[in-house]
Amino acid sequence: MKKWKLQTTAILLGGGLALSTPASALAEIQNSTIAKTEQKEEEKEESEAEPESESESKPEEEKKEEESEPESKPEEEEKEEESEPESKPEEEEKEEESEPESKPEEEEKEEESEPESEPEEEPEKTHPSEARIQEIIQWIDALPEGSDENFDMIQERYDEIQKICEEIDYMPEEDQARITNLQKLMDLMEWINQQTETAWSGTCGSNARWELDRVDGNLIITGTGGIGSSSSDDEPFKGMFRFGRVEIKEGIRWIGQKAFYGTGMKSITFPSTLTDIYKDAFRDCKDLTYVTLPSGLRKIGSGAFYGCQSLTNVSFNSRLQEIGFSAFADCNLSMVTIPGNVKKIGYRAFMGNRLTNITIEDGVERIEDNAFQENPTLKSAVIPGSVSDFRPSMFARCYQLQKVVLNEGIQTISTRFAENEELAYIQIPETVTSIRDDAFRDCPNVTIYGVRGSYAETYANEHGIPFSAQKKELPAISKITNTCSGSHIYWKKFTGAKSYNLYRSTSKDGTYTKIATTAATNYTDTNVKSGTTYYYKIRANRSNGVSDASTAKGVVFVETPDITLRVNRSTGIGLGWNKISGATGYAVYRKSYSGSGAWKRVATITNASTLSWVDTSVKNNNGSQYRYTVRALAGSDRKTLSGCRNTGRTMVRIFTPTISKVTVGSGSMKVLWDRNTAVHGYEVRLMRGQSIDTYTVGGNQNVYQNLNGLQKGATYKVQVRSYKKVSGVGTFYSAWSAPQNVTVK
């Protein structure tokens, strides 16, 4: 019997892919099996008539062995006899012992004449899987005839059938031959494989196609437009419940309603082109564990991931605008961070999860009723000021909720924390002007934290709730840095702020003048003078008015120096820069020409009058390229820095060549020098009095120069230097060699 295996993915595809499943397919299998069984019985009868002739041709020793076989019972009979003696009477035991001697001569002769043919009454050797195999075959026989549901029903027992097939495949062929109706099971598998033979690819949208990998069962989707339908339950992958990973290629823009409803995917990769996920797209994908939403996604429809019970983590993108109702209900999320670009969180969006804490960034405008209902493990939550109305039953049945922080900007608390016995801390900002009367009913341990004199204090006193006064929140300037264009002021984002007013003064306690209004959280003051100290304050503009001013923060502004000199000297690279008003020193920074890595401070000049410096650490680095920048220092401690020219100034370290020989001729001379393989050429300078002539020697192979037409008897000075060109930057020279005096003959 030939070995056979069930195709691993053969039963993965269901009727939802419009497979060709004949109405009488199983009946045909049964009929063909009966015919094959009858044929086998005929062949068996023919074979039973042959043993006599075969036995006559065998040697006597083989005949004797065959004659003794009837006394040797199959192993199963022997085991049964060994396990039964204790329960049988002695008389029965004696009868069994005497049976071989009391056999009639006719039976012995029959056994001798048909040694190769076993009696049909004797039990065959069984395999541990045989009973299960027979049960599966009986179940197949009982399937209703003429229905496409047959295929779906077979799918339900896929794992069991596959395991049985694998066990059979590893059985010896002689054991396979003993299994009753094995051919029927093989015929069934062949039929299934035939039905799914072409079901490895298809369409899943007007311009989208799918392809199932035969080896690993992964689903690949390509094309443009959408998958399924955006307005109806198309369910293009209904029944394909066993593929593991899904990869959607670039070009797909949306995923339609119930596109993957109830499939058994374990992971999915989204394209950056995806903008919308529609209703119930991944509903009841119970094996899906993690989702990273693409950067371009704008909307998640209602119930999109409802019932994904293995989903423990989801990462939202920075462009998402809306999360539909019940979008992530009945999942298993433990933590969630909602970015500020999400304008709306739908009704029951995260109901029935295992959240322990939630973070909602400032910018979210609306959170619908019951959004986080039935999260029994939720302990803390922070709601931004951009959410104007704290909606009803937002945290219903969150029985372990202990701490809630409501940030500046929230105006109305419409929710109820009823029966949240663990709730001990709620921070209510002074922007709140309305709280529902029964908001904290049956919350015996709650304390309201707020600003003295706010509505929150009034509410607490009226309802007999403990109140803890907090220091009033103010905007805060985080840092001020000097740049090449001015002083750059940074401040922390203030909850509830729509914009900010920036004020400046030249003294800490002086008069402050408004210099800017901006919605950003930073500003560059360009109207500044080097050496002057400036102080800044910030106020936040909110819907309910302007906040108090922040604490003043000052800085000495100093301009950024520019490098004006870059030369090679015998001892290293020499730098020079312009003087900066108000500077108390300078700092020199260096990094490699490639620009990789951070700037490294290589020198600190504490004398404000010193405007040059030689980098001797590169003395021996012939041909190496660097970038330099200089910053001014301010203040007696020199901790205030000017801006930094981040591109820096390029410089190449080049060795000075040495003149090795000068040969003098009649009205001429020949100058020779040492070769430098790191340069692109040389220059020779000839001087006599005020007259200077320069000669260029291209390449570094020629290391000599003939000078002709010279005045006989005159004395000249000769020098040599090398150069290197940097593409897009310029040409860099070494220092001149020491001059040599040469008298022409």
Side-chain angles (χ1 to χ4, degrees):
M1 176 178 288
K2 72 173 183 177
K3 291 277 185 171
W4 59 278
K5 275 189 177 181
L6 170 65
Q7 293 183 13
T8 305
T9 54
I11 310 182
L12 302 186
L13 311 178
L17 295 177
L19 300 177
S20 175
T21 309
S24 60
L26 293 179
E28 292 177 2
I29 293 171
Q30 296 172 5
N31 293 335
S32 65
T33 302
I34 294 170
K36 290 177 182 179
T37 303
E38 292 175 353
Q39 185 178 354
K40 286 181 179 180
E41 290 177 355
E42 292 177 0
E43 293 175 353
K44 183 177 179 180
E45 291 176 359
E46 293 176 359
S47 64
E48 290 176 349
E50 296 177 357
E52 291 182 4
S53 59
E54 289 180 1
S55 62
E56 291 175 1
S57 62
K58 289 182 180 181
E60 291 184 9
E61 294 179 0
E62 292 184 13
K63 288 183 180 181
K64 289 179 180 179
E65 291 176 1
E66 291 172 353
E67 291 174 0
S68 63
E69 279 182 5
E71 298 179 6
S72 178
K73 298 182 179 180
E75 290 182 357
E76 293 183 8
E77 285 189 341
E78 291 178 358
K79 290 180 181 178
E80 290 176 2
E81 292 175 357
E82 291 174 2
S83 62
E84 291 177 1
E86 294 182 1
S87 61
K88 291 183 179 181
E90 292 183 1
E91 294 180 2
E92 290 183 12
E93 290 181 351
K94 290 179 181 180
E95 289 177 3
E96 290 175 357
E97 291 175 357
S98 63
E99 273 183 4
E101 297 179 1
S102 61
K103 283 185 180 181
E105 292 181 7
E106 293 181 1
E107 288 184 12
E108 290 181 359
K109 289 179 181 180
E110 288 178 1
E111 290 174 357
E112 291 176 2
S113 62
E114 300 179 1
E116 293 183 354
S117 179
E118 297 180 359
E120 294 183 1
E121 292 79 7
E122 291 188 78
E124 297 179 352
K125 184 178 180 180
T126 60
H127 186 271
S129 298
E130 185 173 354
R132 290 171 30 233
I133 294 169
Q134 300 304 325
E135 189 274 327
I136 286 289
I137 292 173
Q138 292 175 5
W139 176 79
I140 292 169
D141 290 339
L143 288 175
E145 183 179 341
S147 174
D148 289 345
E149 295 178 358
N150 287 346
F151 199 82
D152 296 333
M153 295 175 68
I154 293 171
Q155 276 191 132
E156 295 176 0
R157 301 191 70 171
Y158 166 77
D159 290 333
E160 183 182 0
I161 296 174
Q162 182 187 31
K163 187 175 181 180
I164 290 173
C165 292
E166 290 175 351
E167 290 182 5
I168 294 173
D169 206 26
Y170 288 99
M171 292 170 60
E173 291 190 3
E174 57 268 22
D175 290 342
Q176 291 184 9
R178 292 176 175 271
I179 299 174
T180 306
N181 292 329
L182 175 60
Q183 188 62 45
K184 181 178 289 188
L185 185 61
M186 294 175 63
D187 290 343
L188 173 68
M189 296 300 103
E190 183 179 354
W191 173 77
I192 294 174
N193 290 336
Q194 289 175 352
Q195 300 307 307
T196 59
E197 189 175 20
T198 60
W200 303 112
S201 64
T203 60
C204 53
S206 56
N207 295 299
R209 292 189 59 81
W210 64 267
E211 183 175 352
L212 188 66
D213 192 304
R214 295 173 182 247
V215 177
D216 54 22
N218 294 334
L219 190 73
I220 310 297
I221 299 174
T222 58
T224 59
I227 300 172
S229 173
S230 61
S231 58
S232 62
D233 299 342
D234 193 34
E235 298 187 66
F237 299 103
K238 182 180 180 181
M240 293 182 66
F241 57 90
R242 289 193 178 274
F243 47 71
R245 183 176 62 87
V246 178
E247 182 179 357
I248 304 176
K249 298 292 187 180
E250 296 293 320
I252 298 297
R253 294 186 293 105
W254 50 266
I255 300 174
Q257 295 187 18
K258 294 187 177 182
F260 296 93
Y261 185 6
T263 61
M265 69 171 69
K266 297 184 184 308
S267 65
I268 185 167
T269 301
F270 295 107
S272 62
T273 52
L274 190 70
T275 60
D276 295 88
I277 298 175
Y278 287 97
K279 177 183 177 183
D280 298 328
F282 299 93
R283 183 168 181 153
D284 289 340
C285 292
K286 300 183 185 301
D287 295 326
L288 187 61
T289 59
Y290 180 82
V291 172
T292 299
L293 300 172
S295 59
L297 187 66
R298 298 174 302 183
K299 183 178 180 181
I300 300 174
S302 60
F305 294 90
Y306 184 100
C308 295
Q309 298 175 356
S310 299
L311 187 61
T312 60
N313 199 327
V314 59
S315 177
F316 296 102
N317 65 68
S318 59
R319 295 183 182 179
L320 187 64
Q321 298 176 6
E322 182 177 341
I323 300 173
F325 75 84
S326 298
F328 293 92
D330 287 352
C331 295
N332 202 24
L333 299 175
S334 58
M335 298 180 64
V336 66
T337 298
I338 311 295
N341 48 279
V342 176
K343 301 306 177 185
K344 178 182 177 182
I345 301 174
Y347 175 72
R348 293 183 174 180
F350 295 92
M351 182 186 74
N353 280 269
R354 302 291 296 176
L355 295 172
T356 57
N357 63 76
I358 57 174
T359 300
I360 303 173
E361 297 180 353
D362 191 46
V364 176
E365 297 178 356
R366 187 172 181 85
I367 303 176
E368 296 290 347
D369 300 356
N370 305 89
F372 301 97
Q373 178 181 327
E374 296 179 13
N375 276 273
T377 56
L378 184 63
K379 294 184 177 181
S380 66
V382 178
I383 308 300
S386 55
V387 181
S388 59
D389 186 5
F390 200 53
R391 298 293 296 166
S393 304
M394 188 179 297
F395 297 110
R397 301 173 189 168
C398 296
Y399 297 120
Q400 293 191 38
L401 186 63
Q402 300 172 5
K403 182 178 181 180
V404 178
V405 176
L406 309 181
N407 285 323
E408 290 281 341
I410 294 176
Q411 301 174 12
T412 303
I413 299 178
S414 303
T415 194
R416 289 176 56 223
F417 294 91
E419 301 178 4
N420 282 77
E421 296 185 0
E422 297 294 323
L423 184 63
Y425 183 109
I426 181 164
Q427 178 180 304
I428 301 178
E430 61 178 333
T431 54
V432 171
T433 58
S434 176
I435 304 175
R436 68 181 290 166
D437 191 62
D438 61 345
F440 302 100
R441 190 188 69 192
D442 297 328
C443 297
N445 300 310
V446 69
T447 297
I448 294 177
Y449 293 78
V451 176
R452 184 71 68 187
S454 66
Y455 178 80
E457 183 180 19
T458 302
Y459 179 91
N461 293 333
E462 291 177 352
H463 292 79
I465 300 174
F467 180 82
S468 177
Q470 293 183 307
K471 187 177 180 180
K472 191 173 184 179
E473 185 183 6
L474 296 175
I477 294 174
S478 54
K479 66 176 181 178
I480 304 174
T481 61
N482 287 318
T483 68
C484 295
S485 56
S487 294
H488 201 142
I489 305 98
Y490 299 85
W491 55 90
K492 296 179 180 179
K493 191 173 185 179
F494 192 72
T495 52
K498 305 298 182 181
S499 62
Y500 303 89
N501 298 330
L502 182 64
Y503 302 83
R504 186 186 70 191
S505 177
T506 53
S507 64
K508 187 175 183 180
D509 299 322
T511 301
Y512 285 81
T513 302
K514 186 170 71 172
I515 61 173
T517 298
T518 176
T521 55
N522 63 91
Y523 181 81
T524 301
D525 184 8
T526 59
N527 188 24
V528 289
K529 294 182 179 180
S530 186
T532 304
T533 300
Y534 297 94
Y535 295 89
Y536 298 90
K537 290 183 179 181
I538 195 78
R539 290 177 182 265
N541 297 312
R542 300 177 297 183
S543 57
N544 64 334
V546 181
S547 73
D548 291 341
S550 68
T551 302
K553 193 176 185 67
V555 68
V556 180
F557 175 73
V558 282
E559 293 180 349
T560 304
D562 195 9
I563 294 175
T564 57
L565 177 67
R566 293 166 290 164
V567 296
N568 273 292
R569 304 190 184 282
S570 59
T571 55
I573 294 175
L575 302 173
W577 54 87
N578 61 306
K579 184 177 179 61
I580 299 299
S581 177
T584 56
Y586 301 92
V588 183
Y589 296 81
R590 183 188 71 203
K591 67 179 177 179
S592 65
Y593 175 72
S594 64
S596 60
W599 286 105
K600 179 182 179 182
R601 185 185 287 202
V602 292
T604 300
I605 311 306
T606 58
N607 188 343
S609 299
T610 301
L611 303 176
S612 63
W613 178 74
V614 178
D615 188 1
T616 59
S617 65
V618 298
K619 177 181 178 181
N620 299 319
N621 300 345
N622 186 37
S624 298
Q625 303 178 53
Y626 302 96
R627 296 191 185 199
Y628 292 90
T629 193
V630 179
R631 304 178 74 174
L633 307 178
S636 58
D637 57 1
R638 300 182 181 87
K639 290 185 178 180
T640 301
L641 297 169
S642 73
C644 176
R645 302 188 189 279
N646 287 322
T647 57
R649 304 294 185 188
T650 302
M651 188 60 192
V652 181
R653 173 59 181 157
I654 305 175
F655 287 174
T656 304
T658 301
I659 297 176
S660 59
K661 185 179 180 182
V662 179
T663 303
V664 180
S666 178
S668 65
M669 68 174 72
K670 183 178 182 180
V671 185
L672 295 90
W673 57 86
D674 298 332
R675 178 180 288 111
N676 187 347
T677 58
V679 302
H680 295 143
Y682 308 90
E683 286 188 346
V684 179
R685 183 162 70 178
L686 183 67
M687 299 174 290
R688 181 171 178 265
Q690 299 299 315
S691 177
I692 301 176
D693 295 311
T694 303
Y695 304 86
T696 300
V697 181
N700 60 18
Q701 300 301 316
N702 297 325
V703 289
Y704 68 90
Q705 177 67 42
N706 291 315
L707 304 175
N708 301 311
L710 305 179
Q711 185 176 342
K712 296 179 180 180
T715 300
Y716 295 85
K717 289 183 178 181
V718 181
Q719 292 178 294
V720 180
R721 69 177 182 180
S722 53
Y723 66 85
K724 183 174 182 178
K725 295 182 179 180
V726 178
S727 180
V729 180
T731 303
F732 299 86
Y733 298 88
S734 72
W736 287 104
S737 66
Q740 287 197 19
N741 295 322
V742 181
T743 302
V744 180
K745 294 181 179 180

